[in-house]
Amino acid sequence: MKFTLILAILPGLATSFTAPSSFGVSQRLQHNAVVSSLSATNGDASGDDSKKKVIILGGDGFCGWPTSLYLSDQGHDVVIVDNLSRRNIDTELGCDSLTPIKSPEVRCQAWKEVSGKDMKFVNLDVAKDYDLLVQLIKDEKPDTIVHFAEQRAAPYSMKSSKTKRYTIDNNVGGSNNLCCAVVDADMDVHIVHLGTMGVYGYGTSGGEIPEGYIDVTLPGGREANILHPAHPGSVYHATKCLDAILWQFYQKNDNLRITDLHQGIVWGTNTPQTARDERLVNRFDYDGDYGTVLNRFLMQGAMGVPLTVYGTGGQTRGFIHVTDTARCIEIAMNNPPAKGDRVEIFNQIAETRRVRDIAKLVADMTGVEVNNIPNPRQEAAENELDVANSKFTSLGLDPITLDTGLFEEVTEVVKKFQSRCDPKMILPASFWNKKRAEECASIDINSITLESEEKV
């Protein structure tokens, strides 16, 4: 089943763009949020909608920051934990967020001013500061810990032996530390982890990908329902597969309550909360390592740069808007597994699309060309992807799908901050292996010229 769940109040986008609505960007974001919130409120499953104490690990990041604001706005008591590693990687790569993001302290103060709500920020490395993590859990006594605190980019994880080792050490070490810390703190805390659809691989199930567990027939005709086999496509994806095994172990051994969310590719920039003040703006990554494919296309189109499609563009992927990421986190928080239940797993996507089809949509909207370049990744040139997501929809999520109005939101952000773009960072700079690097040797990072530069 491929998902094309179009909101009734949004202009549909199955094969072409419709005219932009008359809403302003922030109005559209608020309107969509209200509709989705009403839908979630009227869902079939009631869940536990009480206000919770929440620690958000990685709360300064692309998904963590808007989720922190959303949960605070919903009345939850939020503590943000982050070691600012993603900002340090900006310095390492020589490429800042296209949007000028403020320090965590300024962000939290700005949120206090616009909402009247406090959010605490704690600078802590989950993978290294174990004793501090245990003490934080004891002091804060959270109901839920949301775990975003992992190096999230597949290309960066394949950049070099250094980044491969860092990704393994940081991601797997951090997840193990979190489980150990909850056990040592001797508290009944629900862990909600942001995983990835990439744990399944792409097109390896021979049909619809179920939500975490798959029915199998074992030798002798024995039937079982087991964790879906792992099929990672990068070191980053491998860490999420290793995380999944850790969750299974700690649930079985220590009765931890854990929810794992296998999320698709995130697109969009702002949410109703980040749009309330410029100091709250979310980060926007456009480079070849951290920029997600749809955001990269929208940025390139807005700047008059040919869209860089890897290979044939036949890769089919799952997508979700950043606003829905935050909503899904709260739904998962409100519907935790019971003590002793196996790890709960949700597929966190709105729809699936083929990359070349998305490129055509953006090219038609912006008038730029599509440029197929050698693929830096070791992956199938073409794949199908059918994904189940009935758990979230049955709990009331009515997801945002690809819509021209929200595309416009991203392009407006790009045009506002286009002077911050370094065109040399747009093309891929990380290659899966030596063969891929050789095939991509013709890529010239200096070949990208921005529309504004051409007019000078």
Side-chain angles (χ1 to χ4, degrees):
M1 176 170 54
K2 290 188 174 68
F3 296 99
T4 52
L5 308 173
I6 309 298
L7 289 177
I9 52 88
L10 291 174
L13 182 62
T15 57
S16 63
F17 284 89
T18 56
S21 80
S22 59
F23 282 144
V25 170
S26 61
Q27 289 174 305
R28 275 194 299 276
L29 290 168
Q30 294 284 359
H31 185 62
N32 293 339
V34 168
V35 172
S36 188
S37 294
L38 288 172
S39 175
T41 300
N42 295 322
D44 294 333
S46 58
D48 174 16
D49 60 356
S50 61
K51 303 312 176 187
K52 295 176 173 61
K53 181 67 168 286
V54 188
I55 294 177
I56 302 185
L57 308 178
D60 185 55
F62 173 55
C63 292
W65 174 243
T67 299
S68 298
L69 293 185
Y70 175 77
L71 294 179
S72 176
D73 206 27
Q74 295 298 108
H76 301 288
D77 186 1
V78 175
V79 177
I80 293 174
V81 174
D82 206 295
N83 69 339
L84 309 184
S85 61
R86 179 64 191 89
R87 295 176 185 246
N88 293 334
I89 291 173
D90 280 342
T91 302
E92 173 193 333
L93 297 178
C95 184
D96 290 330
S97 163
L98 189 69
T99 51
I101 55 175
K102 301 299 183 181
S103 70
E105 292 81 6
V106 170
R107 282 176 150 186
C108 290
Q109 179 59 35
W111 180 242
K112 169 73 170 177
E113 292 173 12
V114 301
S115 72
K117 299 178 187 218
D118 287 306
M119 282 198 310
K120 182 189 297 185
F121 169 68
V122 179
N123 192 325
L124 185 154
D125 189 328
V126 175
K128 295 180 179 179
D129 301 330
Y130 180 74
D131 292 341
L132 295 177
L133 178 61
V134 174
Q135 192 59 51
L136 179 71
I137 294 172
K138 289 180 177 180
D139 291 343
E140 297 295 342
K141 298 178 174 56
D143 300 293
T144 308
I145 298 177
V146 180
H147 182 22
F148 291 110
E150 296 183 282
Q151 194 291 105
R152 66 173 177 83
Y156 183 81
S157 79
M158 300 300 293
K159 197 173 197 66
S160 66
S161 58
K162 178 182 176 182
T163 61
K164 291 175 182 176
R165 291 166 53 238
Y166 166 73
T167 302
I168 292 285
D169 292 346
N170 180 79
N171 293 9
V172 181
S175 295
N176 187 58
N177 277 359
L178 173 57
C179 291
C180 291
V182 171
V183 172
D184 284 350
D186 194 22
M187 297 186 64
D188 181 19
V189 180
H190 176 210
I191 296 172
V192 177
H193 171 250
L194 191 71
T196 172
M197 283 296 301
V199 299
Y200 300 118
Y202 293 102
T204 60
S205 289
E208 182 184 72
I209 295 177
E211 303 203 60
Y213 301 95
I214 188 170
D215 294 323
V216 298
T217 302
L218 301 171
R222 293 170 293 148
E223 295 183 351
N225 183 252
I226 65 170
L227 188 68
H228 193 286
H231 203 271
S234 71
V235 168
Y236 158 74
H237 293 105
T239 65
K240 298 294 189 175
C241 296
L242 294 170
D243 285 343
I245 298 299
L246 284 175
W247 309 141
Q248 295 290 322
F249 170 75
Y250 280 102
Q251 183 283 317
K252 178 182 69 173
N253 193 68
D254 298 286
N255 274 333
L256 295 192
R257 294 186 299 126
I258 302 171
T259 299
D260 201 7
L261 307 176
H262 295 332
Q263 181 167 260
I265 296 171
V266 183
W267 67 282
T269 308
N270 280 317
T271 66
Q273 292 75 35
T274 66
R276 291 172 68 176
D277 190 291
E278 284 196 351
R279 294 169 294 173
L280 300 175
V281 69
N282 197 21
R283 70 176 300 122
F284 185 103
D285 297 308
Y286 65 91
D287 61 289
D289 280 341
Y290 276 90
T292 61
V293 61
L294 180 49
N295 276 4
R296 285 193 293 106
F297 285 172
L298 291 170
M299 182 279 298
Q300 291 168 342
M303 293 190 175
V305 174
L307 308 184
T308 50
V309 174
Y310 298 166
T312 66
Q315 309 92 336
T316 305
R317 297 293 184 261
F319 292 88
I320 186 169
H321 191 271
V322 65
T323 301
D324 279 338
T325 292
R327 296 186 191 126
C328 288
I329 294 293
E330 186 182 35
I331 292 174
M333 285 170 45
N334 290 342
N335 294 274
K339 194 82 169 176
D341 284 358
R342 70 179 182 177
V343 175
E344 180 65 87
I345 301 176
F346 293 78
N347 289 339
Q348 190 165 304
I349 71 165
E351 61 188 323
T352 61
R353 293 292 184 101
R354 202 175 294 275
V355 170
R356 61 170 168 256
D357 295 337
I358 291 176
K360 184 178 186 304
L361 294 175
V362 176
D364 288 347
M365 181 181 76
T366 61
V368 301
E369 297 178 351
V370 174
N371 183 19
N372 292 81
I373 65 175
N375 193 344
R377 301 181 179 223
Q378 183 68 34
E379 62 184 3
E382 306 273 334
N383 74 276
E384 302 300 324
L385 185 63
D386 296 332
V387 185
N389 73 344
S390 60
K391 287 185 180 180
F392 271 128
T393 56
S394 68
L395 291 171
L397 180 72
D398 195 357
I400 296 169
T401 53
L402 305 187
D403 161 68
T404 186
L406 290 177
F407 278 16
E408 184 184 72
E409 179 266 327
V410 177
T411 57
E412 285 179 13
V413 168
V414 169
K415 289 178 179 178
K416 181 175 181 178
F417 298 111
Q418 61 182 337
S419 63
R420 293 173 54 86
C421 176
D422 181 352
K424 295 193 300 297
M425 304 303 298
I426 292 175
L427 292 173
S430 297
F431 309 98
W432 262 232
N433 51 43
K434 291 181 179 179
K435 181 181 178 182
R436 292 294 181 179
E438 291 170 357
E439 291 175 352
C440 294
S442 60
I443 295 176
D444 179 8
I445 63 171
N446 295 309
S447 64
I448 299 293
T449 303
L450 303 184
E451 196 174 58
S452 58
E453 293 176 345
E454 291 175 345
K455 296 177 181 178
V456 174

mmCIF file of all heavy atoms in Angstrom, residues 85-98 156 159 283-290 419-427 429 445:
data_model
loop_
_atom_site.group_PDB
_atom_site.id
_atom_site.type_symbol
_atom_site.label_atom_id
_atom_site.label_comp_id
_atom_site.label_asym_id
_atom_site.label_seq_id
_atom_site.Cartn_x
_atom_site.Cartn_y
_atom_site.Cartn_z
ATOM 1 N N SER A 85 26.688 18.866 19.342
ATOM 2 C CA SER A 85 27.593 18.223 18.384
ATOM 3 C C SER A 85 27.259 18.593 16.941
ATOM 4 O O SER A 85 28.163 18.719 16.110
ATOM 5 C CB SER A 85 27.551 16.699 18.559
ATOM 6 O OG SER A 85 26.246 16.200 18.320
ATOM 7 N N ARG A 86 25.971 18.756 16.649
ATOM 8 C CA ARG A 86 25.598 19.100 15.271
ATOM 9 C C ARG A 86 26.143 20.475 14.905
ATOM 10 O O ARG A 86 26.580 20.699 13.764
ATOM 11 C CB ARG A 86 24.069 19.055 15.117
ATOM 12 C CG ARG A 86 23.578 19.412 13.720
ATOM 13 C CD ARG A 86 24.055 18.398 12.674
ATOM 14 N NE ARG A 86 23.799 18.874 11.324
ATOM 15 C CZ ARG A 86 24.631 19.607 10.605
ATOM 16 N NH1 ARG A 86 25.815 19.969 11.121
ATOM 17 N NH2 ARG A 86 24.321 19.972 9.387
ATOM 18 N N ARG A 87 26.132 21.417 15.836
ATOM 19 C CA ARG A 87 26.718 22.737 15.571
ATOM 20 C C ARG A 87 28.229 22.617 15.374
ATOM 21 O O ARG A 87 28.808 23.326 14.533
ATOM 22 C CB ARG A 87 26.398 23.693 16.720
ATOM 23 C CG ARG A 87 24.907 24.001 16.866
ATOM 24 C CD ARG A 87 24.654 24.872 18.076
ATOM 25 N NE ARG A 87 23.233 25.082 18.320
ATOM 26 C CZ ARG A 87 22.601 26.249 18.217
ATOM 27 N NH1 ARG A 87 23.266 27.336 17.862
ATOM 28 N NH2 ARG A 87 21.313 26.347 18.455
ATOM 29 N N ASN A 88 28.862 21.718 16.116
ATOM 30 C CA ASN A 88 30.302 21.513 15.954
ATOM 31 C C ASN A 88 30.617 20.915 14.587
ATOM 32 O O ASN A 88 31.644 21.234 13.977
ATOM 33 C CB ASN A 88 30.823 20.596 17.064
ATOM 34 C CG ASN A 88 30.737 21.237 18.439
ATOM 35 O OD1 ASN A 88 30.756 22.465 18.560
ATOM 36 N ND2 ASN A 88 30.616 20.423 19.469
ATOM 37 N N ILE A 89 29.724 20.042 14.094
ATOM 38 C CA ILE A 89 29.926 19.470 12.764
ATOM 39 C C ILE A 89 29.780 20.540 11.691
ATOM 40 O O ILE A 89 30.464 20.501 10.655
ATOM 41 C CB ILE A 89 28.962 18.286 12.539
ATOM 42 C CG1 ILE A 89 29.374 17.114 13.438
ATOM 43 C CG2 ILE A 89 28.958 17.846 11.074
ATOM 44 C CD1 ILE A 89 28.401 15.948 13.425
ATOM 45 N N ASP A 90 28.908 21.526 11.916
ATOM 46 C CA ASP A 90 28.849 22.673 10.997
ATOM 47 C C ASP A 90 30.231 23.291 10.830
ATOM 48 O O ASP A 90 30.676 23.585 9.708
ATOM 49 C CB ASP A 90 27.901 23.749 11.549
ATOM 50 C CG ASP A 90 26.431 23.442 11.284
ATOM 51 O OD1 ASP A 90 26.149 22.608 10.406
ATOM 52 O OD2 ASP A 90 25.574 24.047 11.943
ATOM 53 N N THR A 91 30.904 23.506 11.957
ATOM 54 C CA THR A 91 32.248 24.095 11.924
ATOM 55 C C THR A 91 33.218 23.168 11.208
ATOM 56 O O THR A 91 34.033 23.603 10.381
ATOM 57 C CB THR A 91 32.746 24.368 13.356
ATOM 58 O OG1 THR A 91 31.821 25.253 14.009
ATOM 59 C CG2 THR A 91 34.129 24.993 13.347
ATOM 60 N N GLU A 92 33.138 21.887 11.493
ATOM 61 C CA GLU A 92 34.009 20.893 10.861
ATOM 62 C C GLU A 92 33.852 20.891 9.347
ATOM 63 O O GLU A 92 34.847 20.843 8.596
ATOM 64 C CB GLU A 92 33.688 19.507 11.426
ATOM 65 C CG GLU A 92 34.402 18.356 10.742
ATOM 66 C CD GLU A 92 33.815 17.007 11.109
ATOM 67 O OE1 GLU A 92 33.235 16.879 12.210
ATOM 68 O OE2 GLU A 92 33.930 16.074 10.286
ATOM 69 N N LEU A 93 32.600 20.940 8.871
ATOM 70 C CA LEU A 93 32.327 20.884 7.433
ATOM 71 C C LEU A 93 32.459 22.236 6.754
ATOM 72 O O LEU A 93 32.514 22.315 5.526
ATOM 73 C CB LEU A 93 30.908 20.340 7.191
ATOM 74 C CG LEU A 93 30.627 18.908 7.660
ATOM 75 C CD1 LEU A 93 29.173 18.540 7.381
ATOM 76 C CD2 LEU A 93 31.562 17.917 6.984
ATOM 77 N N GLY A 94 32.507 23.315 7.547
ATOM 78 C CA GLY A 94 32.571 24.653 6.973
ATOM 79 C C GLY A 94 31.276 25.050 6.305
ATOM 80 O O GLY A 94 31.278 25.762 5.294
ATOM 81 N N CYS A 95 30.145 24.605 6.863
ATOM 82 C CA CYS A 95 28.847 24.882 6.261
ATOM 83 C C CYS A 95 27.814 25.075 7.358
ATOM 84 O O CYS A 95 27.446 24.118 8.039
ATOM 85 C CB CYS A 95 28.434 23.732 5.346
ATOM 86 S SG CYS A 95 26.887 24.034 4.474
ATOM 87 N N ASP A 96 27.343 26.303 7.530
ATOM 88 C CA ASP A 96 26.338 26.594 8.547
ATOM 89 C C ASP A 96 24.939 26.285 8.042
ATOM 90 O O ASP A 96 24.707 26.149 6.836
ATOM 91 C CB ASP A 96 26.395 28.077 8.934
ATOM 92 C CG ASP A 96 27.653 28.427 9.708
ATOM 93 O OD1 ASP A 96 28.168 27.541 10.407
ATOM 94 O OD2 ASP A 96 28.112 29.583 9.595
ATOM 95 N N SER A 97 24.008 26.206 8.984
ATOM 96 C CA SER A 97 22.595 26.165 8.638
ATOM 97 C C SER A 97 22.265 27.375 7.766
ATOM 98 O O SER A 97 22.764 28.474 7.996
ATOM 99 C CB SER A 97 21.751 26.204 9.919
ATOM 100 O OG SER A 97 20.411 26.544 9.640
ATOM 101 N N LEU A 98 21.424 27.157 6.730
ATOM 102 C CA LEU A 98 21.024 28.287 5.887
ATOM 103 C C LEU A 98 20.290 29.333 6.725
ATOM 104 O O LEU A 98 20.453 30.534 6.519
ATOM 105 C CB LEU A 98 20.128 27.795 4.753
ATOM 106 C CG LEU A 98 19.797 28.824 3.673
ATOM 107 C CD1 LEU A 98 21.037 29.159 2.849
ATOM 108 C CD2 LEU A 98 18.681 28.315 2.761
ATOM 109 N N TYR A 156 27.276 11.649 5.985
ATOM 110 C CA TYR A 156 28.350 11.967 6.920
ATOM 111 C C TYR A 156 28.919 10.698 7.544
ATOM 112 O O TYR A 156 30.137 10.593 7.758
ATOM 113 C CB TYR A 156 27.831 12.905 8.010
ATOM 114 C CG TYR A 156 28.905 13.342 8.998
ATOM 115 C CD1 TYR A 156 29.783 14.378 8.685
ATOM 116 C CD2 TYR A 156 29.027 12.716 10.237
ATOM 117 C CE1 TYR A 156 30.768 14.773 9.576
ATOM 118 C CE2 TYR A 156 30.013 13.102 11.142
ATOM 119 C CZ TYR A 156 30.872 14.133 10.805
ATOM 120 O OH TYR A 156 31.851 14.517 11.694
ATOM 121 N N LYS A 159 31.576 9.246 5.257
ATOM 122 C CA LYS A 159 32.562 10.204 4.748
ATOM 123 C C LYS A 159 33.992 9.700 4.874
ATOM 124 O O LYS A 159 34.824 9.887 3.986
ATOM 125 C CB LYS A 159 32.401 11.530 5.489
ATOM 126 C CG LYS A 159 33.052 12.718 4.822
ATOM 127 C CD LYS A 159 32.682 13.993 5.548
ATOM 128 C CE LYS A 159 32.948 15.215 4.700
ATOM 129 N NZ LYS A 159 32.076 15.262 3.513
ATOM 130 N N ARG A 283 16.716 24.916 12.125
ATOM 131 C CA ARG A 283 17.867 24.867 11.228
ATOM 132 C C ARG A 283 17.424 24.340 9.861
ATOM 133 O O ARG A 283 16.431 23.609 9.743
ATOM 134 C CB ARG A 283 18.994 24.021 11.809
ATOM 135 C CG ARG A 283 18.753 22.532 11.882
ATOM 136 C CD ARG A 283 20.005 21.781 12.383
ATOM 137 N NE ARG A 283 21.114 22.006 11.487
ATOM 138 C CZ ARG A 283 22.299 22.539 11.848
ATOM 139 N NH1 ARG A 283 22.525 22.872 13.092
ATOM 140 N NH2 ARG A 283 23.244 22.711 10.965
ATOM 141 N N PHE A 284 18.165 24.726 8.819
ATOM 142 C CA PHE A 284 17.892 24.280 7.453
ATOM 143 C C PHE A 284 19.212 23.849 6.836
ATOM 144 O O PHE A 284 20.090 24.673 6.576
ATOM 145 C CB PHE A 284 17.260 25.401 6.623
ATOM 146 C CG PHE A 284 16.832 24.976 5.236
ATOM 147 C CD1 PHE A 284 15.501 24.736 4.971
ATOM 148 C CD2 PHE A 284 17.764 24.801 4.217
ATOM 149 C CE1 PHE A 284 15.094 24.344 3.693
ATOM 150 C CE2 PHE A 284 17.376 24.404 2.949
ATOM 151 C CZ PHE A 284 16.033 24.176 2.688
ATOM 152 N N ASP A 285 19.355 22.553 6.618
ATOM 153 C CA ASP A 285 20.578 22.009 6.030
ATOM 154 C C ASP A 285 20.376 21.806 4.535
ATOM 155 O O ASP A 285 19.393 21.184 4.111
ATOM 156 C CB ASP A 285 20.928 20.676 6.693
ATOM 157 C CG ASP A 285 21.217 20.838 8.177
ATOM 158 O OD1 ASP A 285 22.043 21.693 8.522
ATOM 159 O OD2 ASP A 285 20.602 20.116 8.989
ATOM 160 N N TYR A 286 21.294 22.317 3.745
ATOM 161 C CA TYR A 286 21.184 22.235 2.290
ATOM 162 C C TYR A 286 22.362 21.506 1.657
ATOM 163 O O TYR A 286 22.370 21.258 0.444
ATOM 164 C CB TYR A 286 21.111 23.644 1.694
ATOM 165 C CG TYR A 286 22.368 24.468 1.902
ATOM 166 C CD1 TYR A 286 23.398 24.450 0.956
ATOM 167 C CD2 TYR A 286 22.546 25.242 3.038
ATOM 168 C CE1 TYR A 286 24.558 25.191 1.149
ATOM 169 C CE2 TYR A 286 23.689 25.982 3.235
ATOM 170 C CZ TYR A 286 24.702 25.959 2.293
ATOM 171 O OH TYR A 286 25.848 26.685 2.495
ATOM 172 N N ASP A 287 23.355 21.156 2.446
ATOM 173 C CA ASP A 287 24.591 20.572 1.898
ATOM 174 C C ASP A 287 24.399 19.103 1.548
ATOM 175 O O ASP A 287 23.400 18.468 1.914
ATOM 176 C CB ASP A 287 25.721 20.707 2.922
ATOM 177 C CG ASP A 287 25.404 19.982 4.217
ATOM 178 O OD1 ASP A 287 24.518 20.445 4.970
ATOM 179 O OD2 ASP A 287 26.028 18.937 4.471
ATOM 180 N N GLY A 288 25.374 18.545 0.848
ATOM 181 C CA GLY A 288 25.293 17.163 0.383
ATOM 182 C C GLY A 288 25.328 16.134 1.490
ATOM 183 O O GLY A 288 24.903 14.987 1.272
ATOM 184 N N ASP A 289 25.813 16.490 2.664
ATOM 185 C CA ASP A 289 25.876 15.540 3.770
ATOM 186 C C ASP A 289 24.608 15.536 4.617
ATOM 187 O O ASP A 289 24.090 14.483 4.970
ATOM 188 C CB ASP A 289 27.083 15.844 4.669
ATOM 189 C CG ASP A 289 28.375 15.313 4.096
ATOM 190 O OD1 ASP A 289 28.320 14.431 3.227
ATOM 191 O OD2 ASP A 289 29.453 15.792 4.503
ATOM 192 N N TYR A 290 24.103 16.698 4.973
ATOM 193 C CA TYR A 290 22.987 16.789 5.918
ATOM 194 C C TYR A 290 21.666 17.250 5.303
ATOM 195 O O TYR A 290 20.615 17.089 5.918
ATOM 196 C CB TYR A 290 23.358 17.700 7.093
ATOM 197 C CG TYR A 290 24.117 16.969 8.172
ATOM 198 C CD1 TYR A 290 25.509 16.899 8.140
ATOM 199 C CD2 TYR A 290 23.461 16.333 9.212
ATOM 200 C CE1 TYR A 290 26.213 16.206 9.108
ATOM 201 C CE2 TYR A 290 24.150 15.642 10.194
ATOM 202 C CZ TYR A 290 25.533 15.587 10.143
ATOM 203 O OH TYR A 290 26.223 14.896 11.096
ATOM 204 N N SER A 419 21.795 34.520 0.876
ATOM 205 C CA SER A 419 23.163 35.050 0.938
ATOM 206 C C SER A 419 24.058 34.188 1.832
ATOM 207 O O SER A 419 25.285 34.282 1.760
ATOM 208 C CB SER A 419 23.148 36.491 1.469
ATOM 209 O OG SER A 419 22.649 36.536 2.795
ATOM 210 N N ARG A 420 23.466 33.335 2.666
ATOM 211 C CA ARG A 420 24.235 32.465 3.555
ATOM 212 C C ARG A 420 24.644 31.158 2.876
ATOM 213 O O ARG A 420 25.353 30.348 3.467
ATOM 214 C CB ARG A 420 23.412 32.151 4.810
ATOM 215 C CG ARG A 420 23.177 33.364 5.701
ATOM 216 C CD ARG A 420 22.202 33.030 6.837
ATOM 217 N NE ARG A 420 22.602 31.871 7.619
ATOM 218 C CZ ARG A 420 23.441 31.896 8.652
ATOM 219 N NH1 ARG A 420 23.976 33.056 9.039
ATOM 220 N NH2 ARG A 420 23.744 30.795 9.319
ATOM 221 N N CYS A 421 24.186 30.932 1.641
ATOM 222 C CA CYS A 421 24.458 29.677 0.954
ATOM 223 C C CYS A 421 25.855 29.668 0.338
ATOM 224 O O CYS A 421 26.260 30.618 -0.337
ATOM 225 C CB CYS A 421 23.422 29.441 -0.141
ATOM 226 S SG CYS A 421 23.738 27.970 -1.146
ATOM 227 N N ASP A 422 26.583 28.593 0.550
ATOM 228 C CA ASP A 422 27.866 28.362 -0.112
ATOM 229 C C ASP A 422 27.631 27.331 -1.205
ATOM 230 O O ASP A 422 27.418 26.145 -0.915
ATOM 231 C CB ASP A 422 28.890 27.839 0.895
ATOM 232 C CG ASP A 422 30.257 27.603 0.268
ATOM 233 O OD1 ASP A 422 30.386 27.694 -0.971
ATOM 234 O OD2 ASP A 422 31.203 27.300 1.028
ATOM 235 N N PRO A 423 27.620 27.742 -2.472
ATOM 236 C CA PRO A 423 27.260 26.802 -3.546
ATOM 237 C C PRO A 423 28.179 25.593 -3.638
ATOM 238 O O PRO A 423 27.777 24.547 -4.150
ATOM 239 C CB PRO A 423 27.334 27.674 -4.808
ATOM 240 C CG PRO A 423 28.171 28.852 -4.432
ATOM 241 C CD PRO A 423 27.922 29.097 -2.981
ATOM 242 N N LYS A 424 29.403 25.702 -3.147
ATOM 243 C CA LYS A 424 30.334 24.569 -3.200
ATOM 244 C C LYS A 424 29.879 23.413 -2.308
ATOM 245 O O LYS A 424 30.354 22.289 -2.461
ATOM 246 C CB LYS A 424 31.733 25.014 -2.767
ATOM 247 C CG LYS A 424 32.400 26.025 -3.695
ATOM 248 C CD LYS A 424 33.873 26.189 -3.387
ATOM 249 C CE LYS A 424 34.123 26.682 -1.970
ATOM 250 N NZ LYS A 424 33.561 28.032 -1.737
ATOM 251 N N MET A 425 28.952 23.691 -1.367
ATOM 252 C CA MET A 425 28.517 22.655 -0.434
ATOM 253 C C MET A 425 27.304 21.873 -0.946
ATOM 254 O O MET A 425 26.866 20.916 -0.310
ATOM 255 C CB MET A 425 28.170 23.280 0.919
ATOM 256 C CG MET A 425 29.283 24.100 1.544
ATOM 257 S SD MET A 425 30.820 23.147 1.757
ATOM 258 C CE MET A 425 30.275 21.863 2.881
ATOM 259 N N ILE A 426 26.753 22.245 -2.094
ATOM 260 C CA ILE A 426 25.516 21.639 -2.573
ATOM 261 C C ILE A 426 25.726 20.224 -3.099
ATOM 262 O O ILE A 426 24.919 19.325 -2.847
ATOM 263 C CB ILE A 426 24.883 22.533 -3.660
ATOM 264 C CG1 ILE A 426 24.384 23.847 -3.035
ATOM 265 C CG2 ILE A 426 23.748 21.813 -4.368
ATOM 266 C CD1 ILE A 426 23.858 24.852 -4.041
ATOM 267 N N LEU A 427 26.799 19.994 -3.818
ATOM 268 C CA LEU A 427 27.034 18.687 -4.435
ATOM 269 C C LEU A 427 27.548 17.675 -3.410
ATOM 270 O O LEU A 427 28.101 18.050 -2.372
ATOM 271 C CB LEU A 427 28.025 18.832 -5.582
ATOM 272 C CG LEU A 427 27.502 19.618 -6.790
ATOM 273 C CD1 LEU A 427 28.607 19.850 -7.806
ATOM 274 C CD2 LEU A 427 26.330 18.880 -7.437
ATOM 275 N N ALA A 429 29.686 15.150 -1.238
ATOM 276 C CA ALA A 429 31.109 15.139 -0.882
ATOM 277 C C ALA A 429 31.475 13.895 -0.077
ATOM 278 O O ALA A 429 32.586 13.790 0.426
ATOM 279 C CB ALA A 429 31.455 16.397 -0.082
ATOM 280 N N ILE A 445 32.638 20.562 -7.703
ATOM 281 C CA ILE A 445 31.915 21.348 -6.695
ATOM 282 C C ILE A 445 31.878 22.833 -7.052
ATOM 283 O O ILE A 445 31.038 23.577 -6.532
ATOM 284 C CB ILE A 445 32.524 21.160 -5.296
ATOM 285 C CG1 ILE A 445 33.968 21.682 -5.251
ATOM 286 C CG2 ILE A 445 32.444 19.723 -4.854
ATOM 287 C CD1 ILE A 445 34.539 21.713 -3.840
#
